[in-house]
């Protein structure tokens, strides 16, 4: 089918084009999202910059069209034959160094040096990475030049220079033959199969031998060099011709050996593999720059395809063939271990440290004890994957799909999981120290009997993993782990010193609700912070609420209430109703101000506090007293310090690096402050959590520092930080850091 006809039918609504023959057709820059080309022949088709989101290429035949395959094989035959020519000319010189005249004048040493050098170069090229061989040439050249200089002192400059030139020529010829020849043989194997590639090698060896012999004979007949004249005079021209032909054949044999190692996946020959992929992809199926998001290549034959610059988000490669013989560009397809992983879905105990695997599709893969330390798995599909015992330390799993994944005993230390989907995953015995879950991390139906809050070092004497629940006899009941570990919702934080009048605070919260009835303001927690017992009241709000605006309005209301006489405050509190009075008593209890208890009949302090829009008052439902006072910074549960740390790291990482190497940017400043807060021993865990929350707000504000609302939020955060460190010794690192860096932050935001 012609491309024009297919595009016309696609635009008219047809999507099923399975088993169509579209060889050599061009669909460049078209939008073919959702097209079904299963079992089709797409050899030589051009999909450059084509949008193929959700397309099906199941079982397609990609690669070269037959006529281009024939032309390419012929070209590879010529390339292979020519690749042996430089080495053959170097071999032609060997008899010269064994001429009686040369031995008599310079001894047999030059001949032995050249022969040993040639043998060493052949072995080196056959056993070492070609990249190393290329570097070795420079070393050989330096040694020979040094030897030439030494020999020159003894009056043997001519023979030393000849030896140097011969060995360097042999080194260049050997490496060129190994690289170009191996790539040619490998490309022929990719394009035409084993049988044809063997015939190409045999033909190339014959052509190389004939060409080398003819060239050597021409040089000798024309007496075109000192060596040629000497060999003619000594009657060794036939031997020189034979050695030249042998060099050409040896070059082809070396290329064949390296090609075999390349085809076997030997990492020493990545350079020849890449070059072979380039040669084999000429006029092949082209997906260069295409959008292959959610595209399915299951069981597709993809040799001689070009994927440079393609978008490979969630692309399925299950059982795809010949991915090694494509042009992968900078994508994860460039790694042999990754190609095996995405096609076979078997990665048990394999190492992928630091790999960029963003958007990779590993649904249902066996990744038992696989190692992904520091790997980028952002937006990866790991649904139903077996990650039991996997090492995911420091891995970026933001927005990853981990539904129903088996994460038992997995090491999730410092793993980033913002907006990740963990629904139905099994986290029993997982190590979750400092993991970066956020309020957007989905933890519904997570299975976890117990978890470890610390990953001990193997050499650490203290092997305490800080199991949760702490009692080894207890386990989390169904659904309890998510409640235990879920991070706090975004809250409006009201921070006051211990002398705050609880009645004023309660009335101010009520006044804020009355001014913003659509903000869905609810009491989240009341906490005592630090050694001074300062009070932090957290108010949960709707996601749409503007916290900067709410904070500013609360401050105004609080200042107005604060100047009222005590009698008027009591009068307002009496009129406010039982729920607001109860809240005042809760705050009085938290600040240990019993003298300011407000006498009410109903002393039910227990439960969720929620403001009802119709009644314009705070309603209290039955629950537990501890959810209001004395817990960690959390709603209905506990948030560990590591969770907050991970959340802050996520927020900071989204900021841009400083553009000036000699000047700190907001990102670098917040990183330094985060380290200072985490390591400050004089600060309680509660205050550390609070300080980290303020750093997170600064990071969020830093995304749009010119916005007025963001400036207000940043100002409030810096004020909170100053309050938290108040009272700490001036010599502590945190105080020093805040004194130095907070003024810089203020100047950045312009306040």
């Amino acid at each position: 089918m012609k491309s024009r006809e297919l595009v016309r039918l696609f635009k008219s609504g047809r999507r099923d084009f399975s088993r169509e023959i579209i060889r050599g057709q061009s669909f460049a820059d078209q939008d073919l999202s959702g097209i079904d080309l299963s079992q089709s022949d797409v050899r030589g088709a051009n999909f450059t910059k084509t949008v193929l989101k959700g397309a099906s290429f199941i079982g397609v035949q990609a690669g070269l069209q037959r006529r281009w395959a024939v032309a390419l094989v012929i070209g590879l035959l010529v390339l292979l034959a020519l690749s042996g020519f430089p080495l053959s000319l170097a071999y032609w010189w060997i008899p010269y160094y064994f001429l009686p005249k040369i031995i008599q004048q310079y001894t047999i040493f030059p001949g032995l040096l050249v022969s040993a050098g040639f043998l060493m170069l052949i072995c080196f090229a056959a056993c070492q990475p070609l990249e190393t061989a290329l570097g070795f040439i420079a070393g050989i050249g330096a040694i020979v030049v040094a030897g030439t200089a030494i020999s020159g002192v003894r009056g043997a400059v001519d023979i030393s220079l000849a030896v140097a030139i011969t060995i360097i020529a042999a080194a260049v010829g050997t490496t060129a033959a190994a690289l170009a020849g191996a790539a040619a043989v490998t490309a022929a194997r990719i394009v035409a199969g084993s049988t044809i590639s063997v015939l190409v090698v045999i033909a190339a060896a014959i052509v190389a031998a004939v060409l080398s012999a003819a060239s050597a004979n021409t040089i000798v007949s024309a007496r075109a060099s000192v060596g040629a004249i000497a060999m003619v005079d000594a009657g060794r021209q036939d031997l020189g011709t034979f050695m030249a032909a042998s060099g050409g054949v040896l070059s082809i044999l070396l290329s064949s050996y390296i090609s075999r190692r390349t085809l076997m996946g030997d990492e020493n020959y990545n350079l020849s593999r890449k070059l072979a992929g380039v040669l084999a992809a000429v006029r092949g199926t082209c997906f260069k720059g295409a959008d292959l998001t959610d595209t399915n290549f299951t069981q597709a034959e993809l040799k001689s395809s070009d994927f440079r610059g393609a978008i490979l988000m969630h692309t399925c490669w299950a059982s795809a063939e010949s991915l090694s013989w494509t042009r992968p560009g900078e994508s994860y397809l460039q790694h042999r271990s990754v190609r095996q992983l995405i096609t076979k879905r078997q990665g048990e105990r394999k190492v992928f440290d630091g790999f960029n695997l963003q958007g990779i599709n590993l649904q249902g893969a066996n990744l038992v004890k696989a190692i992904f330390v520091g790997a980028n798995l952002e937006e990866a599909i790991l649904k139903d994957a077996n990650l039991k015992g996997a090492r995911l330390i420091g891995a970026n799993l933001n927005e990853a799909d981990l539904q129903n994944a088996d994460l038992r005993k997995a090491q999730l230390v410092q793993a980033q999981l913002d907006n990740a989907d963990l629904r139905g995953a099994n986290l029993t015995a997982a190590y979750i120290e400092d993991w970066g879950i956020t309020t957007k991390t989905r933890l519904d139906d997570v299975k976890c009997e117990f978890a470890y809050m610390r990953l001990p070092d193997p050499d650490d004497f203290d092997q305490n993993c800080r199991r949760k629940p702490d009692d080894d006899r207890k386990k989390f009941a169904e659904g309890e782990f998510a409640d235990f570990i879920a991070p706090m919702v975004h809250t409006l934080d009201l921070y006051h010193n211990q002398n705050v009048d609880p009645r004023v605070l309660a009335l101010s919260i009520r006044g804020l609700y009355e001014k913003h009835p659509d903000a869905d303001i609810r009491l989240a927690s009341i906490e005592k912070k630090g050694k001074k017992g300062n009070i932090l009241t957290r108010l949960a709000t709707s996601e749409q609420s503007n916290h900067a605006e709410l904070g500013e309005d609360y401050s105004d209301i609080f200042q107005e209430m604060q100047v009222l006489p005590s009698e008027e405050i009591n009068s307002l509190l009496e009129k406010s109703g039982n729920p607001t009075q109860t809240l005042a008593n809760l705050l009085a209890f938290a600040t240990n101000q019993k003298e300011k208890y407000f006498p009410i009949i109903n002393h039910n302090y227990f439960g969720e506090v929620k403001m009802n829009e119709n009644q314009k008052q705070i309603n209290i439902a039955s629950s537990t007293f501890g959810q209001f006072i004395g817990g960690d910074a959390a709603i209905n549960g506990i948030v560990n310090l590591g969770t907050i740390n991970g959340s802050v790291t996520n927020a900071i990482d989204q900021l841009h690096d400083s553009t000036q190497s000699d000047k700190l940017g907001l990102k670098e400043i917040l990183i330094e402050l985060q380290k200072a807060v985490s390591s400050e021993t004089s600060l309680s865990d509660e205050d550390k959590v609070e300080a980290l929350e303020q750093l997170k707000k600064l990071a969020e504000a830093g995304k749009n520092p010119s916005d007025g609302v963001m400036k207000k939020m940043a100002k409030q955060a810096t004020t909170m930080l100053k309050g938290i460190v108040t009272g700490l010794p001036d010599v502590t690192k945190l105080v020093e850091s805040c004194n130095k860096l907070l003024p810089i932050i203020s100047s950045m935001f312009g306040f």
Side-chain angles (χ1 to χ4, degrees), residues 492-498 500 505 527-538 554-555 558 683 686-687 690-691 694 716 719-726:
L492 175 64
D493 302 334
L494 310 176
Y495 191 74
H496 299 279
N497 61 42
Q498 61 180 344
V500 65
L505 185 53
E527 304 163 36
K528 296 176 73 172
K529 309 296 290 183
K531 296 179 180 179
K532 292 184 176 181
N534 293 344
I535 194 73
L536 174 65
T537 305
R538 296 186 186 274
Y554 170 80
S555 297
F558 182 80
L683 206 61
E686 291 84 358
D687 281 347
E690 179 56 36
Q694 303 313 314
Q716 292 169 359
T719 301
M720 289 282 286
L721 284 170
K722 291 176 182 176
I724 292 170
V725 300
T726 300

Side-chain angles (χ1 to χ4, degrees), residues 125 235 254 287:
L254 176 63
F287 293 99

Side-chain angles (χ1 to χ4, degrees), residues 448-451 468-469 474-481 484:
C448 183
E449 296 180 358
F450 58 92
K468 297 296 179 180
K474 294 183 178 180
K475 297 179 180 179
F476 288 116
E478 184 177 350
E480 280 188 352
F481 175 76
F484 164 77

Side-chain angles (χ1 to χ4, degrees), residues 256-549:
S256 300
Y257 172 78
I258 295 177
S259 174
R260 180 172 176 273
R261 300 301 304 172
T262 302
L263 289 164
M264 292 174 64
D266 193 326
E267 296 293 337
N268 283 343
Y269 303 107
N270 271 337
L271 192 58
S272 62
R273 183 192 66 77
K274 290 178 181 178
L275 183 55
V278 172
L279 294 174
V282 175
R283 301 295 298 187
T285 307
C286 183
F287 293 99
K288 186 177 179 181
D291 188 345
L292 300 176
T293 302
D294 294 315
T295 302
N296 192 345
F297 284 105
T298 299
Q299 297 182 334
E301 172 57 63
L302 296 170
K303 67 180 180 181
S304 301
S305 297
D306 189 346
F307 290 101
R308 288 176 298 164
I311 299 173
L312 304 179
M313 295 296 295
H314 304 163
T315 308
C316 180
W317 308 98
S319 301
E321 300 289 339
S322 304
L323 268 181
S324 295
W325 312 119
T326 61
R327 298 193 69 178
E330 299 299 319
S331 70
Y332 54 71
L333 295 178
Q334 64 183 303
H335 304 292
R336 179 170 178 263
S337 58
V338 177
R339 292 193 299 270
Q340 292 179 338
L341 176 62
I342 58 179
T343 54
K344 299 178 181 179
R345 303 295 173 97
Q346 294 294 323
E348 185 171 352
R349 298 179 184 273
K350 296 295 177 65
V351 179
F352 306 97
D353 286 1
F355 280 19
N356 183 2
L357 305 176
Q358 183 173 4
I360 196 169
N361 187 336
L362 296 174
Q363 182 170 348
N366 176 16
L367 300 170
V368 174
K369 295 186 177 180
I371 303 175
F372 294 95
V373 176
N376 181 11
L377 288 160
E378 186 174 8
E379 299 183 75
I381 295 181
L382 293 162
K383 186 177 181 180
D384 301 315
N386 187 350
L387 286 155
K388 186 176 180 180
R391 296 186 66 192
L392 293 155
I393 299 173
N396 180 358
L397 288 161
N398 291 335
E399 300 187 59
D401 185 353
L402 288 154
Q403 292 184 69
N404 302 314
D406 188 348
L407 289 161
R408 288 176 294 172
K409 298 183 179 180
Q411 298 176 11
L412 291 162
V413 177
Q414 296 181 345
Q416 303 307 309
L417 290 153
D418 179 40
N419 213 24
D421 193 342
L422 288 160
R423 288 177 296 172
N426 192 334
L427 287 163
T428 297
Y431 296 87
I432 58 174
E433 178 183 356
D434 288 349
W435 71 340
I437 59 172
T438 69
T439 55
K440 295 182 180 179
T441 305
R442 304 198 65 176
L443 297 166
D444 313 51
D445 301 320
V446 165
K447 304 176 184 69
C448 183
E449 296 180 358
F450 58 92
Y452 298 117
M453 310 304 292
R454 178 176 179 267
L455 177 65
D457 189 281
D459 300 324
D460 191 353
F461 177 77
D462 180 14
Q463 292 291 311
N464 181 14
C465 298
R466 298 179 186 172
R467 181 187 186 274
K468 297 296 179 180
D470 297 285
D471 188 341
D472 291 343
R473 298 169 298 179
K474 294 183 178 180
K475 297 179 180 179
F476 288 116
E478 184 177 350
E480 280 188 352
F481 175 76
D483 292 336
F484 164 77
I485 206 65
M488 72 183 85
V489 297
H490 293 297
T491 57
L492 175 64
D493 302 334
L494 310 176
Y495 191 74
H496 299 279
N497 61 42
Q498 61 180 344
N499 297 319
V500 65
D501 189 327
R503 302 169 301 170
V504 171
L505 185 53
L507 288 169
S508 299
I509 292 173
R510 177 189 175 88
L512 181 65
Y513 174 77
E514 291 177 343
K515 187 170 183 178
H516 296 277
D518 297 330
D520 193 23
I521 296 172
R522 305 176 305 283
L523 178 64
S525 65
I526 302 171
E527 304 163 36
K528 296 176 73 172
K529 309 296 290 183
K531 296 179 180 179
K532 292 184 176 181
N534 293 344
I535 194 73
L536 174 65
T537 305
R538 296 186 186 274
L539 301 178
T541 66
S542 62
E543 292 185 4
Q544 297 76 22
S545 298
N546 185 325
H547 281 193
E549 182 181 351

Side-chain angles (χ1 to χ4, degrees), residues 30-354:
Q30 297 289 335
D31 187 345
L32 300 177
S33 298
I35 192 171
D36 185 356
L37 289 168
S38 301
Q39 310 298 325
S40 296
D41 186 346
V42 297
R43 286 178 292 179
N46 181 12
F47 294 100
T48 301
K49 296 184 179 179
T50 305
V51 179
L52 293 164
K53 292 181 179 179
S56 176
F57 283 82
I58 297 174
V60 299
Q61 178 70 36
L64 287 165
Q65 298 181 77
R66 189 179 300 276
R67 64 178 182 272
W68 287 107
V70 172
L72 183 59
V73 168
I74 295 172
L76 293 172
L77 171 61
V78 174
L79 175 62
L80 182 58
L82 292 176
S83 68
F85 189 60
L87 188 60
S88 69
L89 292 181
Y91 267 65
W92 175 80
W93 276 91
I94 290 179
Y96 169 77
Y97 296 101
F98 290 97
L99 294 176
K101 177 182 177 182
I102 299 300
I103 294 175
Q104 182 180 1
Q105 186 175 357
Y106 301 108
T107 74
I108 200 172
F109 180 73
L112 294 176
L113 179 61
V114 170
S115 300
F118 278 27
L119 180 62
M120 181 175 62
L121 288 168
I122 293 293
C123 294
F124 195 84
C127 302
Q128 297 296 320
L130 292 178
E131 294 90 334
T132 307
L134 288 170
F136 187 66
I137 293 174
I140 289 290
I143 293 172
V144 173
V145 169
T148 301
I150 295 172
S151 299
V153 176
R154 299 174 183 173
V157 176
D158 52 351
I159 193 66
S160 299
L161 186 59
V163 170
I165 293 173
T166 304
I167 293 180
I168 291 175
V172 174
T174 301
T175 308
L179 179 58
V185 176
T186 306
R189 167 67 177 80
I190 298 169
V191 173
S194 301
T195 303
I196 298 298
S197 64
V198 171
L199 295 176
V200 167
V201 169
I202 294 173
I206 295 172
V207 173
V210 172
L211 182 63
S212 300
S215 300
N217 187 61
T218 301
I219 293 172
V220 172
S221 300
R223 303 172 71 90
S225 67
V226 173
I229 295 171
M231 281 193 276
V232 170
D233 292 343
R236 299 285 180 88
Q237 61 268 32
D238 292 338
L239 180 59
T241 301
F242 173 77
M243 291 301 297
S246 299
V249 174
L250 181 61
S251 174
I252 303 302
L253 294 177
L254 176 63
S255 297
S256 300
Y257 172 78
I258 295 177
S259 174
R260 180 172 176 273
R261 300 301 304 172
T262 302
L263 289 164
M264 292 174 64
D266 193 326
E267 296 293 337
N268 283 343
Y269 303 107
N270 271 337
L271 192 58
S272 62
R273 183 192 66 77
K274 290 178 181 178
L275 183 55
V278 172
L279 294 174
V282 175
R283 301 295 298 187
T285 307
C286 183
F287 293 99
K288 186 177 179 181
D291 188 345
L292 300 176
T293 302
D294 294 315
T295 302
N296 192 345
F297 284 105
T298 299
Q299 297 182 334
E301 172 57 63
L302 296 170
K303 67 180 180 181
S304 301
S305 297
D306 189 346
F307 290 101
R308 288 176 298 164
I311 299 173
L312 304 179
M313 295 296 295
H314 304 163
T315 308
C316 180
W317 308 98
S319 301
E321 300 289 339
S322 304
L323 268 181
S324 295
W325 312 119
T326 61
R327 298 193 69 178
E330 299 299 319
S331 70
Y332 54 71
L333 295 178
Q334 64 183 303
H335 304 292
R336 179 170 178 263
S337 58
V338 177
R339 292 193 299 270
Q340 292 179 338
L341 176 62
I342 58 179
T343 54
K344 299 178 181 179
R345 303 295 173 97
Q346 294 294 323
E348 185 171 352
R349 298 179 184 273
K350 296 295 177 65
V351 179
F352 306 97
D353 286 1

Side-chain angles (χ1 to χ4, degrees), residues 510 569-578 581 598:
R510 177 189 175 88
I569 291 174
N570 281 335
S571 176
L572 290 173
L573 195 57
E574 185 176 355
K575 296 176 182 177
S576 65
N578 184 285
Q581 297 162 11
F598 191 85

